[in-house]
């Protein structure tokens, strides 16, 4: 949508990156993790020197890894008890 794109034209690259970083923070829930990852990626592409977006994206990746590890451990424990 052309009018949607023009709204972002008034912001500096750092401000655009911050908007997408905040969007990603809101999307960090279990159902929207893929969308959050895309928003973090977009924030980093808009302004590669904006460290806050990289740090938040790194934190998001760590959370994903830990939740995946915990889920794998739960599955292992369930398999031990059901076998």
């Amino acid at each position: 949508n052309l009018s949607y794109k023009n709204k972002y034209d008034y912001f500096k690259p750092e401000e655009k990156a911050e908007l997408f970083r905040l969007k990603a923070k809101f999307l960090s829930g279990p159902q929207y993790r893929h969308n959050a990852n895309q928003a973090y990626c977009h924030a980093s592409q808009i302004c590669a020197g904006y460290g806050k977006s990289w740090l938040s994206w790194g934190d998001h990746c760590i959370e994903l890894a830990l939740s995946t590890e915990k889920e794998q451990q739960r599955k292992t424990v369930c398999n031990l008890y059901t076998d």
Side-chain angles (χ1 to χ4, degrees), residues 21-67:
R21 186 188 75 81
L22 291 172
K23 178 181 177 180
K25 285 286 243 191
F26 285 115
L27 293 172
S28 291
Q31 303 102 330
Y32 303 107
R33 286 186 177 149
H34 178 70
N35 294 342
N37 198 45
Q38 287 179 333
Y40 281 123
C41 179
H42 195 72
S44 299
Q45 288 175 341
I46 289 172
C47 186
Y50 189 60
K52 214 172 182 183
S53 62
W54 288 103
L55 181 62
S56 295
W57 195 6
D59 290 341
H60 176 72
C61 290
I62 289 170
E63 283 182 34
L64 283 176
L66 292 175
S67 66

Side-chain angles (χ1 to χ4, degrees), residues 1 39 54 68-69 83:
N1 183 327
W54 288 103
T68 303
E69 183 180 328
D83 286 340

